[in-house]
Amino acid sequence: IGVGLVGFGLFFLLFGILLYFDSVLLAFGNLLFLSGLVFIIGFWRTFTFFFQWPKLKGTSFFFGGLIVVLMRWPILGMLLEVYGFISLFR
């Protein structure tokens, strides 16, 4: 289930970007991606991964970008999310 949710999340993110940053598809893709991550590695491991002290800057940018996408500013939100994603997984 988790791999399917992550796959659909990435598909909706890609499809939202291809359709000129459609905010509904991007928000749905983000939510599916995060829920799939919870299903794959568990709630506690996901929580501890995102909220470690050295990764707090990347987490704040990633979730801030998610909130900005939900507020219908998709280009700025995706830029914030990409920066947060790079900061988290470097």
Side-chain angles (χ1 to χ4, degrees):
I1 293 174
V3 174
L5 286 174
V6 168
F8 277 120
L10 292 175
F11 171 73
F12 279 111
L13 283 172
L14 178 68
F15 201 56
I17 290 171
L18 288 176
L19 289 176
Y20 300 113
F21 291 98
D22 183 28
S23 60
V24 175
L25 289 174
L26 291 174
F28 194 60
N30 284 323
L31 295 176
L32 283 175
F33 178 76
L34 289 176
S35 63
L37 191 63
V38 168
F39 269 99
I40 290 174
I41 64 174
F43 179 76
W44 185 249
R45 282 188 174 176
T46 305
F47 182 79
T48 56
F49 173 76
F50 279 110
F51 292 103
Q52 294 174 7
W53 185 253
K55 296 182 180 184
L56 206 54
K57 178 182 171 185
T59 300
S60 61
F61 272 100
F62 184 77
F63 285 119
L66 177 67
I67 290 170
V68 171
V69 167
L70 289 174
M71 291 180 359
R72 303 226 180 226
W73 288 55
I75 296 174
L76 178 63
M78 287 305 293
L79 288 174
L80 290 173
E81 280 187 36
V82 166
Y83 179 72
F85 191 78
I86 290 171
S87 296
L88 278 171
F89 291 105
R90 64 178 166 148

